[in-house]
Amino acid sequence: PLLLHGDAAFAGQGIVAETLQMSGLKGYKTGGTIHVIINNQIGFTTSPIDARSTPYCSDIARMLAVPIFHVNGEDIEAVAAVAKIAAEWRQAFHQDVVIDLYCYRKWGHNEGDEPSFTQPLLYDVIKKHPSAQVYYSEKIIKENDAISREDTQAVISDSRERLSAHLENEISYESYTSVGQTPLRERWGELNGTIYDEVDTTIELSTLQELLRKANTIPDTLKPHRKIVRLFKERMKRVEGELPVDWAIGEQAAYASLVTAGYKVRLSGQDVGRGTFSHRHAVLTDITTGEEYISLNHLTPDQATFEAYNSFLSEAAVLGFEHGYSLDLPESLILWEAQFGDFANGAQIIIDNFIMATEQKWGRQSGLVMLLPHGYEGQGPEHSSARLERFLQLCAEDNIVVANCSTPANFFHILRRQVLQRVRKPLVIMSPKSLLRHPKCISSLDDLANGSFRPLYPDESADPDKVERLVFCSGKIYYELLERKEEIQDSRVALCRLERLYPFPSQLVSEEIQRFAGAEVIWCQEEPRNMGAWPMMDEWLAEVLSGRPPRYIGRKKAASPATGSPSAHKREQRAIVDSTFNFD
């Protein structure tokens, strides 16, 4: 890999340090990267003395025990020599290496800039300074009596002529813009479907059970923690149908079915091996030796690999790395999990500038999955909201899929669909926290084996003749509403779950509204009114209702995503549920 940096960015941008930190980590190392810093004071209105606290812009790289070369950009032979040494170092030791190419910029930051406004002394010197071409020509003339100025000019003219001829005769604009003849097209060419296509995500029940048995069998040579032993015994009961399928089994089943079908699965993020909320346990640790065991890599002899990497404490760099990984491996399931969904805030630049717009900006497809734990459990403003509203505001032209699955089966099918469909789109999942162990957040083995992803769960138990209020909701709040409905036996309220928020399933929503014709339509959510799905649901539901606005039930507008007081949280949550069933 070759990375080009500006001097101001290398010293000032935190993601540079995060990326350097990756260089020796097994889940992220590249075998060494050559970093070239174009040190021409690109942040020129800020002098170096105001841009960093270190003598050199490259000093952040001193955290690594790797070479840092400082070379004068006008000394062309020295630049060539350093480049050669850097390449040889990388190939020999598979480590990063940094070249601080010390030079200058002749003009301003853009056409409208005048650098002498802020750097008058420096640019007075630059204005009088000869170009690198002239400087090097004069240098070799001085050093060699046999070379004249005419000789150097002849070399320059010849080089220009050969370059122009090559550009005119050999290279066309189309050869750079078309991927018709490239390996890129060969790997991605068949992915020409849409996110609306029917996709068969079923699997033979007997096959699924056999895979899950192997995935939940602890080898005799491994001595895990006693709680893990107890957990895996319980899991085996779920595999055999004695207990329902929970979220962990649904997720494990998706990965097992994909790797044995030849699709690599790569999962990274903070604590993903165990899972932030101790539900996954994809990586088991021997308590006597410290050795790790991944059962998903011991299913069939010819399976693809399952990788789970506990990342270092970074969001931006790690998510950027996984996005790049997804661009290179269309035949794989690449997932990044935020420890809490709120922590995706630290990767917002990667999300906004790259993931959401990768198809619009560069014509590239990405199947990256972002798992963002989301839900209000009274844990405070930094551990509640994955900022669903931001993702929905970034949606347009079928650029991504945003889901908030409320059953293990739907999670199973959407993960399988992500790889089996003939298109790649980023998938954002508001994944659960308390629902990981909720007694009603369950599925059956048959739901996994013979079901499919459902964008919407209707209220099949509701009687259209009795329903006066049709409540659309998403995620965890559904179970709290369901608990109250069952407690008071209220047949006047129908609860309809949206599992895929974007693309908005308008046809399915319309069918539910028609089924309960005359009922008041409500959107209910946990998040404040200015957050969550409501800012877009207000518009999308109104379109289905022919301009008639739906009613909102949820928290009032707020600057903070959630209260930091558990008691206040309970009062607010209770008020939302009460309002949904209050007809007075």
Side-chain angles (χ1 to χ4, degrees):
L2 175 68
L3 282 180
L4 300 181
H5 304 265
D7 55 292
F10 200 84
Q13 294 294 313
I15 198 168
V16 174
E18 292 183 32
T19 304
L20 292 171
Q21 197 65 262
M22 287 178 161
S23 65
L25 305 179
K26 65 179 180 179
Y28 311 94
K29 62 185 177 184
T30 62
T33 297
I34 298 175
H35 301 267
V36 178
I37 305 171
I38 310 302
N39 190 350
N40 62 356
Q41 210 176 331
I42 195 166
F44 70 90
T45 60
T46 299
S47 298
I49 195 171
D50 296 318
R52 57 183 182 265
S53 298
T54 58
Y56 297 102
C57 64
S58 58
D59 281 346
I60 190 69
R62 293 175 67 183
M63 71 169 80
L64 306 177
V66 299
I68 302 173
F69 296 102
H70 306 280
V71 60
N72 182 355
E74 286 186 322
D75 192 339
I76 294 174
E77 291 169 13
V79 171
V82 163
K84 186 172 186 293
I85 295 169
E88 290 176 351
W89 172 276
R90 190 270 176 192
Q91 295 301 86
F93 301 107
H94 308 292
Q95 290 182 324
D96 284 22
V97 57
V98 179
I99 298 174
D100 177 12
L101 188 62
Y102 200 83
C103 45
Y104 63 92
R105 56 186 301 159
K106 190 169 180 66
W107 309 113
H109 197 76
N110 57 46
E111 295 84 347
D113 283 329
E114 174 49 72
S116 62
F117 286 162
T118 53
Q119 308 285 348
L121 301 180
L122 174 62
Y123 274 86
D124 186 51
V125 173
I126 290 174
K127 194 180 297 184
K128 299 171 185 175
H129 194 72
S131 68
Q133 175 188 297
V134 172
Y135 180 87
Y136 184 60
S137 297
E138 293 300 319
K139 177 177 181 289
I140 59 176
I141 290 169
K142 276 184 188 177
E143 293 177 352
N144 196 322
D145 294 337
I147 297 177
S148 65
R149 192 164 283 105
E150 289 74 19
D151 294 331
T152 59
Q153 191 57 51
V155 170
I156 293 167
S157 299
D158 178 62
S159 296
R160 282 181 175 161
E161 289 172 7
R162 286 189 290 114
L163 178 60
S164 296
H166 181 64
L167 290 171
E168 291 172 7
N169 299 329
E170 302 295 334
I171 300 177
S172 65
Y173 173 75
E174 288 75 19
S175 69
Y176 279 120
T177 57
S178 171
V179 294
Q181 305 301 319
T182 67
L184 182 68
R185 175 55 64 195
E186 292 173 12
R187 299 184 74 180
W188 290 83
E190 295 184 0
L191 297 173
N192 53 8
T194 76
I195 50 179
Y196 302 102
D197 296 342
E198 292 293 327
V199 181
D200 183 5
T201 55
T202 62
I203 182 173
E204 285 288 337
L205 178 57
S206 58
T207 301
L208 180 64
Q209 283 184 292
E210 183 58 28
L211 291 176
L212 287 172
R213 288 187 189 107
K214 291 180 179 179
N216 291 290
T217 298
I218 301 173
D220 295 336
T221 55
L222 188 78
K223 187 173 177 55
H225 194 282
R226 57 184 175 82
K227 290 184 179 180
I228 297 294
V229 176
R230 187 165 65 244
L231 172 66
F232 272 52
K233 284 181 180 178
E234 181 191 283
R235 283 189 179 182
M236 203 63 84
K237 291 181 180 179
R238 300 183 189 278
V239 174
E240 300 301 336
E242 298 174 31
L243 293 173
V245 169
D246 64 2
W247 197 273
I249 290 289
E251 180 182 22
Q252 186 186 56
Y255 300 152
S257 64
L258 288 173
V259 295
T260 51
Y263 299 102
K264 174 180 176 177
V265 175
R266 175 187 166 92
L267 170 66
S268 82
Q270 295 152 25
D271 299 326
V272 296
R274 180 203 69 196
T276 295
F277 311 105
S278 293
H279 82 286
R280 183 174 292 126
H281 296 291
V283 182
L284 303 183
T285 304
D286 190 304
I287 61 173
T288 60
T289 65
E291 292 184 10
E292 294 182 341
Y293 176 79
I294 299 177
S295 61
L296 287 169
N297 283 327
H298 299 272
L299 303 176
T300 60
D302 56 349
Q303 69 170 80
T305 58
F306 172 82
E307 298 173 352
Y309 292 113
N310 291 334
S311 73
F312 65 117
L313 196 65
S314 159
E315 283 78 38
V318 174
L319 182 56
F321 190 96
E322 302 307 332
H323 177 57
Y325 217 104
S326 72
L327 295 175
D328 203 45
L329 292 177
E331 67 282 2
S332 301
L333 179 65
I334 311 299
L335 309 100
W336 175 75
E337 182 175 63
Q339 192 167 56
F340 282 84
D342 320 59
F343 297 178
N345 285 337
Q348 204 63 45
I349 291 174
I350 298 295
I351 294 167
D352 288 358
N353 290 1
F354 295 93
I355 296 172
M356 298 295 115
T358 188
E359 200 166 358
Q360 287 285 315
K361 284 186 176 181
W362 302 288
R364 295 294 308 276
Q365 292 186 29
S366 166
L368 178 69
V369 179
M370 296 174 59
L371 302 178
L372 308 179
H374 177 84
Y376 284 49
E377 279 93 3
Q379 294 178 299
E382 273 68 58
H383 298 81
S384 300
S385 174
R387 293 293 192 176
L388 173 60
E389 66 277 2
R390 292 181 184 169
F391 293 100
L392 295 181
Q393 288 160 2
L394 291 166
C395 291
E397 301 175 295
D398 298 338
N399 64 323
I400 62 171
V401 176
V402 181
N404 192 2
C405 299
S406 63
T407 69
N410 235 19
F411 187 52
F412 169 84
H413 288 293
I414 199 171
L415 289 180
R416 282 179 54 77
R417 180 185 176 88
Q418 186 70 0
V419 177
L420 299 178
Q421 64 187 351
R422 292 171 60 85
V423 69
R424 294 290 176 266
K425 298 278 185 176
L427 170 61
V428 179
I429 297 181
M430 302 288 112
S431 57
K433 295 181 288 182
S434 61
L435 294 190
L436 294 174
R437 296 172 179 84
H438 195 286
K440 292 204 172 183
C441 184
I442 52 175
S443 301
S444 69
L445 286 169
D446 189 64
D447 292 333
L448 271 61
N450 300 310
S452 63
F453 175 70
R454 303 181 65 178
L456 177 148
Y457 280 118
D459 191 337
E460 296 172 342
S461 65
D463 183 348
D465 294 330
K466 297 180 179 178
V467 170
E468 300 176 27
R469 183 173 287 175
L470 174 57
V471 178
F472 288 94
C473 60
S474 183
K476 166 180 163 286
I477 191 69
Y478 165 77
Y479 290 100
E480 293 170 277
L481 296 174
L482 178 63
E483 182 180 6
R484 176 63 63 84
K485 180 180 177 178
E486 292 177 343
E487 177 188 334
I488 63 176
Q489 294 292 301
D490 195 329
S491 60
R492 297 173 298 171
V493 176
L495 302 176
C496 181
R497 280 174 283 173
L498 271 182
E499 300 281 294
R500 190 187 72 202
L501 300 166
Y502 184 87
F504 182 65
S506 55
Q507 181 60 38
L508 296 176
V509 170
S510 178
E511 291 172 4
E512 285 306 291
I513 292 174
Q514 291 172 22
R515 187 159 74 97
F516 299 101
E520 179 187 22
V521 176
I522 286 175
W523 176 260
C524 180
Q525 67 177 33
E526 297 183 287
E527 304 89 344
R529 187 179 185 120
N530 55 320
M531 302 177 196
W534 172 250
M536 296 307 301
M537 286 299 158
D538 185 20
E539 174 186 334
W540 294 340
L541 283 171
E543 289 176 358
V544 177
L545 290 165
S546 302
R548 180 163 51 96
R551 185 178 155 209
Y552 168 84
I553 293 179
R555 285 173 169 81
K556 64 181 182 180
K557 293 180 181 179
S560 175
T563 177
S565 163
S567 58
H569 161 78
K570 289 179 181 177
R571 287 196 302 272
E572 293 171 355
Q573 206 77 357
R574 188 164 52 248
I576 294 171
V577 175
D578 289 345
S579 296
T580 304
F581 293 92
N582 185 355
F583 283 80
D584 296 332

